Amino acid sequence: MQQIEHIGIAVKNLEFSNALFTKLLGITPYKQEGVESEGVMTSFFQTGQTKIELLEATNSDSPIAKFIEKKGEGIHHIAFEVADILAEMERLKNEGFILLNETPKKGADNKLVCFLHPKGTNSVLVELCQSL
Ligand code: CO
């Protein structure tokens, strides 16, 4: 795995949190993008080489809605950049990690992504992402 590509933060209200993080970071989001398959609207801030991804649920079945229900707002996942997502998925599977999706899926911000089950990663939801 390479650098931390982004940190995902679950928020209740994207408009409110966009304004909050704009004040906090002193920069505006460079992109807002919906991922329909995940039931989320996202917003990205570029902080050096790493990004902050804010995630708001767009329906009550969204993983973000469930996360907030259980844990409240806060850090949802850490995403690592990988050069070859298929190779990395294979490597991690062989190491005993549980993949939440068996094939890479299309994520926000032009990425192929795969999530690891937090059960096997000290309760940290880990995202692998490969730039398209
Ligand atoms: Co992410």
Side-chain angles (χ1 to χ4, degrees), residues 1-113:
M1 287 195 213
Q2 300 169 359
Q3 66 166 0
I4 292 176
E5 211 278 337
H6 64 267
I7 293 174
I9 299 175
V11 304
K12 285 182 181 165
N13 182 317
L14 197 56
E15 202 182 318
F16 173 86
S17 296
N18 268 339
L20 179 69
F21 276 79
T22 294
K23 269 193 271 182
L24 176 70
L25 302 171
I27 51 172
T28 53
Y30 69 88
K31 171 186 266 192
Q32 193 154 314
E33 185 183 345
V35 183
E36 210 169 303
S37 59
E38 297 292 301
V40 294
M41 180 57 79
T42 68
S43 172
F44 285 89
F45 294 80
Q46 186 78 50
T47 46
Q49 289 189 46
T50 303
K51 298 157 188 167
I52 298 292
E53 174 187 34
L54 302 181
L55 304 119
E56 178 196 59
T58 53
N59 65 63
S60 54
D61 289 332
S62 163
I64 294 301
K66 289 177 180 154
F67 177 88
I68 288 177
E69 212 171 278
K70 263 167 70 179
K71 300 187 172 173
E73 294 178 296
I75 294 179
H76 176 258
H77 65 268
I78 299 179
F80 293 93
E81 176 85 38
V82 297
D84 181 344
I85 196 165
L86 288 173
E88 202 63 7
M89 286 166 70
E90 189 61 29
R91 183 183 75 81
L92 292 167
K93 210 157 58 169
N94 289 335
E95 292 284 4
F97 292 97
I98 305 158
L99 308 181
L100 288 181
N101 48 296
E102 285 294 318
T103 52
K105 52 186 181 180
K106 180 90 173 59
D109 209 25
N110 301 314
K111 305 286 183 196
L112 279 178
V113 305

